[in-house]
Amino acid sequence: MNSIIENINDSLSCLDGPKYKLDELEEYYEKLQDNKEFNVNLVGINSIKNWGYDKDFNFAHDSKKFFSIKRVKYNKIENGIIHQPDIGVLGVLATQIGGILHILVQFKEEPGNTNKAQLSPTIQATKSNYSKAHGGSLPPYWETFSSIPKDNFIVNSLQPEQGLRYWQKFNQNVIVETDFIEEIPGFKWMTLGQVLAFSKFDNSINSCLRSVLSLIPFNKEHENKKLSLELDDLLSKSKKQYRNYGTLHNNIEKFYSKESDSFKFFSEDDLFSIQGVEVNIKNREVPSWSQPVIMESKNLYYVLLRFLNKNSISYLWKITPEPGYVNGFVMGPSEIIKTEESNLSKIKSQLIKKYECYGNISKVHTINMSEEGGRFWRVSVPHIIIDVNAENTNLNNKDSLLVSKSDTNKLLSSQFMGMEARSIFLLSKSLENFYNE
């Protein structure tokens, strides 16, 4: 493990690598944003080809593949939720180039991206993709990826998707070492430092790649999986408290809005709708298709408090109950804000006022990254990371816990760290790399 950790740290510090300089990759990324052969149009639910109500009045594909939209109940609330029981694969190929660890990054276009191409895993596939249920070709590099022995795995971890939007959905997050493979168009070998440097570009690193890279064993602390007694106790109590938090049901017919030709799910705490998109794009397994997408009705903000004490960093993680999680909850960011307020400066001012009682707030960082464009329509989320200089701070309550970096790393290898938490943790890592703290 020592050699892998050393390779990872060398890769993190390498911005101009033996394969590409950082500015070459940035120029390539910028050119892809002008792709004229990628066209997406919003359409009504009834205009989505090969989709409709199944016999139980869930909204599904005619083939019974891909995913369906069902009904979920929790806390006296009824909403819609994506049901996709197959485990997806988020796979990243890694190799040594000039003695530096590189990963093979896909510059992937998705219909719901706020821009066009985003840095993505080498393989980002559902079972419907790699079993060719869509009638197209296999994802690029799939045969290479699926033939690599497990002894070559650096990361191999089953992780949950968002529990408000997916019902018990998991993806296998994998990083695997291989021999050097030639790039095909749309793929580039990049160092870890080069990937994290893209955090300066809004919505550049997709949520799937953020998830996988958050699991990298940056130090030896990953070798010991045992959690602290305090954290283990919080998780055990929460498993009892949120057991059977949500229940899955058929029939979403009552949520259909004829006026907008969409499904509208407007509960007290959660507002969103589902509409359709028609996609035309070259260089994909299938050049054209149509599908449902989630449209958030409020602005989202993810907030993470980092407590800096001499040479240590601790993170304030919060129990986040949501109906789609197997255990009814995960550890999420310090706060997830859903609001109609779109003024970021106003949100940050409110947060500073709220948290300044914890200690001296030395810096507030904002990094904008979007939700996965294959399911979400142009959802860009400011990740707000607040640095607090404080000693002997007792912030723990029944829902939140100040967690050391060591325990955070162990949490990441469990199934108790939510997608939002993994995302903001990785972006926090980019701050350690590129901002003099």
Side-chain angles (χ1 to χ4, degrees):
M1 182 63 79
N2 284 349
S3 61
I4 290 175
I5 291 169
E6 290 168 0
N7 288 340
I8 287 168
N9 289 330
D10 288 344
S11 184
L12 278 170
S13 62
C14 182
L15 295 182
D16 288 327
K19 181 71 173 169
Y20 297 108
K21 294 187 180 300
L22 180 59
D23 59 3
E24 293 177 306
L25 293 165
E26 291 175 351
E27 183 180 349
Y28 177 75
Y29 169 79
E30 294 288 358
K31 284 182 178 178
L32 290 177
Q33 307 312 321
D34 295 325
N35 185 3
K36 302 296 191 298
E37 296 179 333
F38 178 45
N39 297 296
V40 182
N41 296 308
L42 282 173
V43 297
I45 281 291
N46 286 315
S47 297
I48 306 177
K49 296 175 183 176
N50 303 316
W51 286 77
Y53 289 118
D54 64 14
K55 63 181 179 61
D56 296 314
F57 294 97
N58 304 310
F59 197 73
H61 193 266
D62 293 345
S63 66
K64 300 181 182 178
K65 306 283 188 181
F66 306 104
F67 62 92
S68 61
I69 302 163
K70 293 192 172 187
R71 184 165 51 98
V72 67
K73 288 184 179 181
Y74 65 103
N75 274 1
K76 300 180 180 178
I77 292 171
E78 282 192 312
N79 255 345
I81 199 162
I82 289 177
H83 185 229
Q84 189 173 7
D86 294 331
I87 293 173
V89 176
L90 308 179
V92 174
L93 295 178
T95 198
Q96 300 283 335
I97 302 176
I100 302 293
L101 185 70
H102 286 64
I103 63 172
L104 187 58
V105 174
Q106 179 178 186
F107 288 72
K108 188 178 179 72
E109 294 162 319
E110 291 284 13
N113 284 357
T114 54
N115 43 9
K116 290 191 176 176
Q118 296 182 358
L119 281 64
S120 309
T122 319
I123 303 286
Q124 183 178 317
T126 63
K127 184 177 180 180
S128 297
N129 295 139
Y130 60 78
S131 62
K132 300 194 289 186
H134 45 46
S137 57
L138 280 170
Y141 298 106
W142 176 258
E143 292 178 336
T144 298
F145 174 78
S146 58
S147 65
I148 296 172
K150 290 193 174 181
D151 289 346
N152 290 36
F153 284 24
I154 299 172
V155 168
N156 185 17
S157 182
L158 194 65
Q159 295 289 333
E161 288 278 359
Q162 295 96 324
L164 268 182
R165 298 293 174 258
Y166 296 90
W167 176 260
Q168 300 184 1
K169 174 76 173 83
F170 287 92
N171 287 319
Q172 197 72 38
N173 288 238
V174 177
I175 303 176
V176 59
E177 279 197 282
T178 184
D179 294 332
F180 177 80
I181 302 169
E182 292 295 336
E183 301 161 338
I184 62 174
F187 292 77
K188 295 288 184 185
W189 286 107
M190 298 174 64
T191 69
L192 294 174
Q194 288 171 338
V195 173
L196 292 190
F198 269 76
S199 62
K200 66 185 178 182
F201 296 110
D202 287 354
N203 308 306
S204 58
I205 307 170
N206 90 342
S207 64
C208 297
L209 186 57
R210 299 196 304 271
S211 175
V212 178
L213 297 187
S214 74
L215 305 170
I216 286 177
F218 292 110
N219 48 53
K220 293 182 181 179
E221 292 163 347
H222 272 66
E223 296 175 4
N224 177 12
K225 304 290 186 183
K226 194 171 182 181
L227 298 171
S228 69
L229 290 175
E230 194 174 22
L231 181 54
D232 189 57
D233 183 58
L234 177 63
L235 294 176
S236 296
K237 287 179 179 177
S238 298
K239 280 193 278 187
K240 293 178 182 177
Q241 181 179 355
Y242 296 110
R243 184 181 293 133
N244 301 322
Y245 183 66
T247 55
L248 189 65
H249 301 268
N250 292 321
N251 197 335
I252 61 165
E253 198 175 18
K254 69 179 181 180
F255 297 105
Y256 176 71
S257 167
K258 186 175 182 180
E259 181 182 359
S260 60
D261 193 15
S262 67
F263 294 110
K264 289 186 176 292
F265 305 100
F266 284 9
S267 66
E268 183 178 346
D269 299 320
D270 190 24
L271 288 77
F272 69 102
S273 61
I274 293 180
Q275 206 166 323
V277 288
E278 289 181 341
V279 187
N280 290 281
I281 181 173
K282 289 190 176 181
N283 302 317
R284 281 288 287 268
E285 301 94 296
V286 177
S288 64
W289 72 93
S290 56
Q291 66 168 82
V293 289
I294 295 168
M295 307 184 75
E296 297 288 352
S297 299
K298 288 191 174 183
N299 298 299
L300 296 173
Y301 302 87
Y302 301 156
V303 183
L304 176 63
L305 270 65
R306 303 193 304 176
F307 287 80
L308 313 180
N309 184 2
K310 295 180 180 178
N311 296 320
S312 68
I313 301 179
S314 297
Y315 307 89
L316 188 66
W317 302 114
K318 184 177 182 180
I319 293 291
T320 306
E322 292 181 353
Y325 291 127
V326 167
N327 293 296
F329 77 98
V330 291
M331 297 297 285
S334 310
E335 191 172 351
I336 296 177
I337 301 172
K338 300 174 186 177
T339 177
E340 294 179 2
E341 180 60 66
S342 59
N343 187 321
L344 179 60
S345 296
K346 188 173 181 179
I347 292 291
K348 289 166 72 172
S349 295
Q350 291 171 350
L351 289 168
I352 291 171
K353 190 172 183 179
K354 179 177 181 178
Y355 293 117
E356 61 186 359
C357 60
Y358 291 162
N360 176 44
I361 294 178
S362 58
K363 200 159 189 180
V364 179
H365 312 270
T366 304
I367 302 175
N368 296 316
M369 290 291 161
S370 57
E371 297 295 1
E372 202 273 309
R375 295 290 179 270
F376 292 83
W377 177 258
R378 298 181 180 176
V379 179
S380 180
V381 183
H383 292 58
I384 302 171
I385 300 166
I386 302 173
D387 287 342
V388 183
N389 293 318
E391 294 185 18
N392 302 319
T393 306
N394 183 13
L395 302 174
N396 304 337
N397 57 44
K398 66 175 183 177
D399 294 323
S400 299
L401 189 66
L402 195 59
V403 181
S404 68
K405 179 180 275 190
S406 173
D407 262 356
T408 295
N409 287 329
K410 295 169 193 174
L411 261 179
L412 285 162
S413 61
S414 74
Q415 293 178 3
F416 288 105
M417 200 67 133
M419 175 70 90
E420 299 91 341
R422 300 196 301 274
S423 175
I424 203 165
F425 177 76
L426 179 75
L427 298 179
S428 168
K429 187 69 183 175
S430 77
L431 296 178
E432 293 175 41
N433 259 37
F434 305 113
Y435 298 80
N436 295 321
E437 298 184 326

